[in-house]
Amino acid sequence: MSIEVRNITKRFGAFTALDDVTLDFPSGELVALLGPSGCGKTTLLRIIAGLERADAGQVLLEGEEASTKAVRERQVGFVFQHYALFRHMTVFDNVAFGMRMKPRAVRPSAAQIRDKVHRLLELVQLDWLATRFPSQLSGGQRQRIALARALAVEPRVLLLDEPFGALDAKVRKELRRWLRHLHDELHITSIFVTHDQEEALEVADRVVLMNQGRVEQTGSPQEVYSHPATPFVYGFLGAVNLFHGRVDGEGVRVGDELLPHDGGVDAPAEGAKVLAFARPYEIDILPEGEGASGMAARVSRVLSFGVSTRVELEGEGGRPFEVELTRERAAGLGLAVGQAVRLTPSNLRVFEYEEGAGI
Amino acid sequence: MAAISHRAGGDPAARFESRAATREAPWVKWTLIGVSLAFFALFLLMPLAAVFVEALRKGWETYIAAIVLPDTLSAIKLTLIAAGIAVPLNLVFGVAAAWAIAKFEFRGKHFLTALIDLPFSVSPVIAGLVYVLMFGAHGWFGPWLYEHDIKIIFAVPGIVLATVFVTFPFVARELIPLMQAQGRDEEEAAVVLGANGWRTLWHVTLPNIRWGLIYGVILCNARAMGEFGAVSVVSGHIRGETNTLPLHVEILYNEYQFAGAFAVASLLALLALVTLGIKTWVEYRAARTGQDDASS
């Protein structure tokens, strides 16, 4: 089922949680709502589910106005961050709950419910836990039961609120992959909320980036990562190095240095104040020496784990930089803490400078 | 967390004692235990024992005879009626108030919370007097009630009203922190899964608060049956008509019928012991389920 939200606005007292948000969620996609805490993503999810009422705007489920529909009529599956399993019921009863709550006329028989619960528990690979209570399960198991419970009522959409937020890193990674797999099997329109950019990029078909109640950008993970529309998106999707400068011909003048840039989103005018960004792996380190060009900096830490070496540096005025080099390159440079070096960004992305622009 | 404390003996006191930093000298331990036990024996255990000893001083026959007197039986009946009405009323209103406070945001919430505590903070005599001022012959509604031949003060309705007032906080007080701690998640989950309000209450909310609810009801009942002050003001002490058990004890005692007074008092004491027993059992059960929840 497709979901549309149109001009949704929601305030909590003086705080604006959602500011005129319009979005489209096509049928069958797995979409991530990504943003920092307090950006309104959970509120949006709850409004779609009907757990919260928008101050203005519409929610359309399959083109049909849903704002007046009660939660239980919307046929959504909702998975809560803290699972919200019924603590006094067994796993079996938890999963069966939705079916048992159906009006008598459409309620499946006890035998049908039993079959369905076991099928769902098999789907989430936890059939052997049917007689346990939630308190006897691990976090990851609970979240999978919560998902089975949500799926039991055959929802037309699946909404997941920070589904892996309360789990430790390893279980998270596992469940992420598992969720993607499940979605590929079921093809149910799904929206999940997360503040973890890695999670969003890895799992979702499409990513919606939100900040301060507004949508910053939507697109495939590849699109938003390679072509971030705003400084906020750029900064949120990975580690960054920030340079303040002005457009100067084909490059950006930062301090005394003229650095090349990639043309920008909509090339700012000559002399305009800009923010320029580079990812850690888009900067090279050159040894300080006769005629060396680039930003002056001093090495403050060298971290070598895995295939790459991460170097933390301090620029003029204590400005921090982070550079990622291949191991060989780092070894070739022979970097030592305190050493003066030059930084040359190979691919600066520039954005017009705006007062108070999220970064 | 709970799993760890489980292994360490479950009881925080055990951990306290097993650690050098918090361990006290043996004499401190035994002095404290001795003082508590002595105090307990002197002020709690001895009076309790005295009630039963005095009640049975003249043997079982006198004891039974004192209890089967018509006035005593009618006092028992009235006490049961008062508690039988007050407890269910406070059960319903207590759950409603606790629900309102724990799960909704509204103006005047703090006021309502404070109001719930009023019966605890005000002297029971005042509680009784308030009803006399409102429903008594010279009270606000007195003339109107007289015209319509409705008797509240010095009659059973007054006793029930006073009992309801005094025992209101028990259920609500017990449930508010519990419901606040549990939050709204499970109810929301139930609603999303298609349950209506009534079935959510029945299948999700009530099962989650059941131990707190039982605990509150037990305390509420004990107080309803034992209340003296407020009831004394509104009752009028009409023998066989408006005397509850505590009032009956007083009357018997004032008339130097010690055996009868203590016999009836022993009934109340027995009620207290039974209440205590059930309460301990409920606490034990609640702690067990609570532990399961905490280890989540």
Side-chain angles (χ1 to χ4, degrees):
Chain A
M1 182 175 69
S2 67
I3 307 169
E4 279 172 70
V5 297
R6 285 198 197 141
N7 310 101
I8 292 277
T9 298
K10 174 78 183 171
R11 286 186 198 85
F12 295 106
F15 174 71
T16 303
L18 292 170
D19 186 5
D20 197 20
V21 170
T22 298
L23 278 171
D24 233 327
F25 302 93
S27 202
E29 276 198 353
L30 177 56
V31 180
L33 288 180
L34 174 64
S37 46
C39 74
K41 55 195 191 301
T42 293
T43 308
L44 181 62
L45 197 74
R46 290 174 61 87
I47 286 174
I48 293 172
L51 291 170
E52 210 90 57
R53 194 172 282 275
D55 296 332
Q58 288 175 298
V59 176
L60 302 169
L61 300 177
E62 213 147 27
E64 197 183 323
E65 165 78 7
S67 309
T68 53
K69 270 192 180 175
V71 184
R72 70 182 77 85
E73 294 162 5
R74 293 195 187 190
Q75 286 183 278
V76 296
F78 201 99
V79 176
F80 295 80
Q81 182 179 3
H82 297 289
Y83 332 121
L85 292 176
F86 306 124
R87 67 193 89 185
H88 61 284
M89 293 184 201
T90 60
V91 164
F92 182 95
D93 290 332
N94 262 285
V95 178
F97 186 86
M99 286 182 273
R100 288 177 178 159
M101 287 302 121
K102 282 189 200 273
R104 209 173 288 275
V106 291
R107 194 183 308 160
S109 71
Q112 284 170 320
I113 290 179
R114 197 173 52 240
D115 286 350
K116 180 102 184 254
V117 170
H118 284 298
R119 263 210 316 283
L120 282 163
L121 288 177
E122 270 163 33
L123 180 71
V124 299
Q125 299 153 7
L126 291 176
D127 200 26
W128 50 288
L129 289 176
T131 55
R132 304 275 185 92
F133 283 90
S135 54
Q136 298 166 309
L137 310 183
S138 73
Q141 290 171 338
R142 280 182 215 182
Q143 197 55 296
R144 283 192 276 167
I145 297 300
L147 198 64
R149 183 179 68 173
L151 290 171
V153 291
E154 291 172 10
R156 298 187 294 171
V157 281
L158 191 57
L159 308 173
L160 306 104
D161 182 13
E162 302 253 8
F164 315 130
L167 303 170
D168 60 61
K170 197 162 170 255
V171 180
R172 255 176 118 113
K173 205 142 188 163
E174 233 174 79
L175 275 192
R176 231 188 252 171
R177 211 165 298 144
W178 178 80
L179 175 68
R180 181 66 238 184
H181 190 73
L182 192 75
H183 184 264
D184 291 342
E185 230 168 90
L186 302 174
H187 282 295
I188 176 169
T189 314
S190 311
I191 306 176
F192 76 102
V193 157
T194 178
H195 59 258
D196 180 341
Q197 85 282 357
E198 205 183 301
E199 193 167 294
L201 296 176
E202 202 175 290
V203 178
D205 295 317
R206 237 151 44 87
V207 178
V208 175
L209 271 124
M210 296 186 62
N211 185 33
Q212 297 180 347
R214 289 169 170 281
V215 174
E216 295 266 338
Q217 189 177 4
T218 49
S220 71
Q222 193 58 50
E223 265 165 39
V224 293
Y225 189 80
S226 321
H227 305 286
T230 64
F232 169 81
V233 174
Y234 193 97
F236 197 79
L237 290 181
V240 292
N241 293 288
L242 169 66
F243 305 87
H244 286 274
R246 280 179 193 285
V247 177
D248 185 353
E250 290 294 286
V252 182
R253 185 158 297 278
V254 180
D256 299 331
E257 302 300 324
L258 187 64
L259 306 171
H261 72 74
D262 69 343
V265 185
D266 36 17
E270 178 78 17
K273 220 171 154 191
V274 291
L275 296 172
F277 294 95
R279 300 265 181 225
Y281 53 79
E282 294 171 334
I283 297 182
D284 196 13
I285 296 181
L286 298 174
E288 181 73 280
E290 208 61 26
S293 71
M295 303 277 300
R298 208 167 274 284
V299 176
S300 49
R301 241 156 97 80
V302 181
L303 304 159
S304 289
F305 313 107
V307 292
S308 59
T309 297
R310 238 176 62 211
V311 187
E312 291 175 11
L313 309 102
E314 212 168 81
E316 260 171 82
R319 190 180 286 279
F321 290 106
E322 188 183 329
V323 176
E324 209 175 303
L325 301 171
T326 60
R327 254 182 124 86
E328 295 74 38
R329 173 76 185 149
L333 283 168
L335 296 172
V337 172
Q339 187 182 343
V341 292
R342 294 277 177 169
L343 302 178
T344 55
S346 58
N347 183 28
L348 274 186
R349 179 164 299 271
V350 297
F351 295 96
E352 199 133 15
Y353 181 81
E354 277 173 67
E355 224 42 76
I359 268 209
Chain B
M1 284 299 285
I4 294 166
S5 66
H6 232 20
R7 260 173 258 129
D11 190 359
R15 267 177 295 150
F16 241 107
E17 228 179 345
S18 67
R19 285 179 195 162
T22 45
R23 192 163 36 219
E24 297 285 351
W27 67 268
V28 175
K29 175 177 169 180
W30 292 112
T31 311
L32 280 174
I33 293 175
V35 167
S36 320
L37 282 181
F39 189 88
F40 172 77
L42 192 65
F43 288 97
L44 297 174
L45 211 54
M46 225 161 66
L48 190 65
V51 168
F52 288 102
V53 169
E54 284 298 325
L56 294 170
R57 183 183 288 277
K58 294 187 182 159
W60 278 99
E61 273 169 37
T62 330
Y63 180 82
I64 303 286
I67 286 173
V68 295
L69 283 176
D71 285 355
T72 310
L73 286 180
S74 109
I76 292 175
K77 198 175 130 201
L78 183 57
T79 298
L80 289 177
I81 288 174
I85 297 174
V87 172
L89 271 184
N90 281 335
L91 172 69
V92 173
F93 288 124
V95 171
W99 191 315
I101 285 169
K103 314 236 167 179
F104 296 112
E105 281 305 325
F106 56 92
R107 213 182 276 264
K109 185 164 152 174
H110 290 289
F111 181 67
L112 183 61
T113 316
L115 211 60
I116 288 174
D117 280 338
L118 184 70
F120 275 168
S121 52
V122 80
S123 157
V125 177
I126 310 292
L129 265 179
V130 170
Y131 285 111
V132 172
L133 287 176
M134 270 166 52
F135 304 119
H138 303 288
W140 289 358
F141 307 110
W144 187 87
L145 290 170
Y146 184 78
E147 268 169 40
H148 292 80
D149 200 24
I150 302 171
K151 272 188 77 73
I152 291 184
I153 299 303
F154 305 146
V156 176
I159 291 171
V160 172
L161 279 179
T163 309
V164 169
F165 180 90
V166 174
T167 57
F168 180 73
F170 288 97
V171 172
R173 266 281 140 218
E174 197 56 46
L175 292 184
I176 290 167
L178 188 65
M179 288 175 115
Q180 274 171 339
Q182 288 179 345
R184 268 187 288 218
D185 269 13
E186 285 183 45
E187 274 96 0
E188 280 183 347
V191 171
V192 174
L193 288 168
N196 59 30
W198 178 247
R199 306 193 79 180
T200 303
L201 174 75
W202 199 246
H203 291 287
V204 177
T205 310
L206 287 182
N208 273 341
I209 58 171
R210 65 188 187 281
W211 293 116
L213 196 63
I214 295 172
Y215 187 77
V217 164
I218 292 166
L219 291 182
C220 182
N221 183 57
R223 182 69 193 267
M225 292 192 173
E227 175 56 25
F228 180 84
V231 170
S232 173
V233 175
V234 296
S235 125
H237 305 274
I238 307 165
R239 275 189 175 220
E241 278 183 39
T242 63
N243 262 352
T244 61
L245 275 180
L247 300 182
H248 194 56
V249 173
E250 194 206 18
I251 289 183
L252 289 175
Y253 185 81
N254 286 345
E255 292 174 353
Y256 305 104
Q257 301 185 30
F258 295 128
F262 278 107
V264 177
S266 74
L267 286 183
L268 286 170
L270 213 58
L271 170 75
L273 289 179
V274 170
T275 303
L276 217 62
I278 302 176
K279 179 177 152 271
T280 312
W281 178 72
V282 168
E283 271 172 348
Y284 164 75
R285 287 301 309 260
R288 266 193 25 187
T289 37
Q291 211 158 41
D292 288 348
D293 295 342
S295 63
S296 62

